[in-house]
Amino acid sequence: MSAMHTDAAPRISLLGTTALLLEAPGSLDLAPQQRIWALARLAEQWPAIREAVPGMNNLMLTFDTPPRDLQGLKTRLLDAWAQCPPLPLEGRVIELPVVYGGEHGPHMADVIAHTGLDIETIANLHCEPLYPVYALGSHPGYCYLGGMDPRLATPRRQVPVLTIGAGSVSIGGVQTGVSASAGPSGWNTIGRTEMVFFNAEQSPPAILQPGDQLRFRIERIIR
């Protein structure tokens, strides 16, 4: 029997009266996320569902009115998860030039102190992977990425900063990401890019989509 049918069951919780959240078991690997994509494609076709929104290792289902048979919906969702194979999405590969360190990377020193690596090694390790876009969320255009080198993992900040600029490239735990707009953050900002990730006048407004892949490129290192 395949591992797809032997892993732990997801957890389902209500979000008010018009949504529920399925939280998938397992790690931040690509295969569980691909199952989330597959389940979203399936569930959005169900009559009671208004929208199926894949998140980072989770799926939110919204509905206009509370379902009459909530337990039946939960059972259907769990059964569908058990049967869903991973859905590979062949997206675009987008290269992102980044200025590392200096005023653009105000928390680079913290990442250096935690990892024991110098700034050149951090920048080079950060640029090596091809990062899959797992999901969009947090704020418009923001993408959750997988695939960061574990040697760069740095705990989130104990005290979040009130605002970081759009295009800030940051590390939070075992993940890295790029802020699509200015705002508060508890991640460690190590660089900045000029790329615009969200344009309300475009369709879709978010530049990146799940299944796309992102590659960082060193534009400059400021020591």
Side-chain angles (χ1 to χ4, degrees), residues 3-44:
M4 182 174 63
H5 300 282
T6 59
D7 53 11
R11 185 175 68 173
I12 297 177
S13 54
L14 289 176
L15 302 176
T17 60
T18 57
L20 59 78
L21 184 72
L22 177 142
E23 296 177 82
S27 63
L28 300 180
D29 293 335
L30 182 58
Q33 192 66 29
Q34 289 176 332
R35 288 179 68 185
I36 289 289
W37 299 342
L39 187 58
R41 291 271 184 98
L42 179 64
E44 67 184 1

Side-chain angles (χ1 to χ4, degrees), residues 155-169:
R156 299 185 185 193
R157 306 189 65 76
Q158 292 186 350
V159 179
V161 294
L162 294 180
T163 184
I164 59 174
S168 293
V169 178

